[in-house]
Each structure stands twice: as C-alpha cells, then as structure tokens.
Amino acid sequence: MRRCCDRAANIFLFCVAFALVAATAAVAFFIIKKGAGALSWEFLSEPPRDGMMSGGVFTPLVGTVQLVLLSTGIALPIGVTTGLYFAEYAGDSRALSLMRVAIRSLAGVPSVIFGLFGLSLFVVFMGFGSCLLSASLTLACLSLPLIVTASEQAFLAVPQDYRDASYALGATKCQTIFKIVLPSAAPTIITGAILAVGRAAGETAPIMFTGAAFFAPEAARGLFSQVMALPYHIYVLATSATNREAAEPIEYGAIVVLMALVFGSCAVAAAARAKLLERSGR
C-alpha cells in the first residue's frame, strides 16, 4: 500500500512538472513564432523610427541593459551586506524579527507600488527628475527584498563547523566571514541575484513612473537622461499603436529580444554559480 502511494505521488508530481514545462514551452514557442520574422541584425542595431512603426530596438535594448546593470550594482552590495548582518550579527530580538518579516513582505508588494514610491522619493522629493538614476534606484528597491532574503539564507546555510574551524586556527570574525563564510555562500547569493535581475529586467510599472521615455532618439548618455526600455517599449506598442499590422512584428520581436536578454543573464549567472560550486567542491 505504501509503495502504491509513493508511486502515485511520483506520477502526480511528474504530471504537474510536465504540465508546467509544457505550458512554458508553448508560450515561448508562440512568442518566438510570432517574433522570429522580425529578428535581424538591423532590428537589433537600429533605433525605432516613424513613430516606432519601423526600425529596430537598439535604443530600448541598451536602456534595459543600463537599467539592469545600474540597479543590480546598487542593490547587490546593499542586499548582501544586510543579509550578512541579519545572519552573523543581528541575533534574535523582537525588533529584528519584525524587520525580517517586513523585508519578506516587501517581496510580495505589487511593482506599481514601488513605482509610486520611486516617483515620490527619487523624482519629486530628491529632485532627480524622470531619469535613468531614478528608475534604477526604484528597480534596486524592488530587487532588495529578494537579495536580502537569499543572502541571509545563504549565510545561515554555511555549516557552523566551518566557522569553528576558522576560529580554532586563530582567524578573527571578519577574516572568517570574508575568507570562509562569504565564498561558501556565494553560489546561493548568485541564485538570488538571478531572480532579482530577471524581475528587474521585465518590470514596466516602476520605470514608467520614474524614467522610461515614450521615445528617445538615442541611448541615455548620463544618469539624469531619460531612457527607453524594452518592457515599456512593448507596452507602448501593445496599447498605443494605431497600425496593429505594422506594430505586431516589432512588438513580438521586442518580446523575443527581452526573453533572450533575461535568459542570457540567467545563463551567465548560472554558469558562474556552477563554477563556484565546482571550486568549493560542493
């Protein structure tokens, strides 16, 4: 009886996993089929023209890369440092427990709320205006809960024996953290960064309030320039285009490019994670 239950559970879980993979593959196939015809070197290397009804996606593609790199560069050090503090120094006080709950709750807040927060704080209160910097800071705030949570769990997962052995050899707490704990936790931290990058690259609501331009003739040349981004560009094509026949191939082509950008970033991060795991012998 127990063996039959185990087999039934295995079959059920396999069917669920297969259905999920099949649904994802079907969506990806549909999008690639609709957008593959628009893909070419000219599509990737030319800016939009004629009210975005012709040309390519070079400007929004560069803008998306700028946003992802800048927001990750802001969020990753802050998130890893915060996770390190919670795991190694904070303890278990009531106030810190409430802070942990608050950070985990922020991961589920709708992205439009982060957009309004960025508009109020960075665009209006701090006076940055609608620009690359405001949008990147907003995306960094959006990514922080994921990175903090992943980093804290990564540090907590490092066996205490590693720390004890380091202390026994005369290392200080700081040396133990930077030479033992951080390298051991790095693969899991990279996993959290992958999730954060994927979410930041595909968000529209936060950037449409804080820095995304409807149209810009060229890529942002400074932190205080407006920036085009692929998610907002796709949104504009889907909602504002008067000529659907001309806009649809560009729209689906832009979606394919955005998917490739996210998958490529995840693949690079996954390769780095595998390399770190190989070096650590795990």
Side-chain angles (χ1 to χ4, degrees), residues 11 56 81 177:
I11 293 173
T81 304
I177 288 173

Side-chain angles (χ1 to χ4, degrees), residues 6-39:
D6 288 343
R7 184 172 296 179
N10 287 333
I11 293 173
F12 173 75
L13 293 174
F14 173 80
C15 292
V16 171
F18 179 80
L20 179 62
V21 172
T24 304
V27 172
F29 176 77
F30 173 78
I31 292 173
I32 293 172
K33 181 180 178 182
K34 298 276 283 186
L39 298 180

Side-chain angles (χ1 to χ4, degrees), residues 223-236:
L223 293 177
F224 296 98
S225 302
Q226 280 200 313
V227 60
M228 291 189 74
L230 282 171
Y232 188 58
H233 184 62
I234 294 166
Y235 169 79
V236 169

Side-chain angles (χ1 to χ4, degrees), residues 7-71:
R7 184 172 296 179
N10 287 333
I11 293 173
F12 173 75
L13 293 174
F14 173 80
C15 292
V16 171
F18 179 80
L20 179 62
V21 172
T24 304
V27 172
F29 176 77
F30 173 78
I31 292 173
I32 293 172
K33 181 180 178 182
K34 298 276 283 186
L39 298 180
S40 65
W41 174 248
E42 289 74 19
F43 184 74
L44 296 175
S45 60
E46 294 181 358
R49 298 193 305 270
D50 302 328
M52 294 182 288
M53 292 298 101
S54 63
V57 294
F58 177 75
T59 309
L61 175 59
V62 172
T64 302
V65 173
Q66 290 174 322
L67 286 168
V68 169
L69 290 178
L70 188 54
S71 62

Side-chain angles (χ1 to χ4, degrees), residues 34 53 233-252 255:
K34 298 276 283 186
M53 292 298 101
H233 184 62
I234 294 166
Y235 169 79
V236 169
L237 289 172
T239 58
S240 303
T242 55
N243 187 351
R244 291 299 306 161
E245 185 176 349
E248 190 171 272
I250 300 175
E251 177 185 334
Y252 280 99
I255 295 173

Side-chain angles (χ1 to χ4, degrees), residues 158-181:
V158 177
Q160 183 62 34
D161 291 345
Y162 289 10
R163 299 175 178 85
D164 294 339
S166 179
Y167 296 146
L169 292 171
T172 63
K173 188 176 182 68
C174 184
Q175 289 172 329
T176 300
I177 288 173
F178 282 98
K179 293 184 179 295
I180 304 298
V181 178

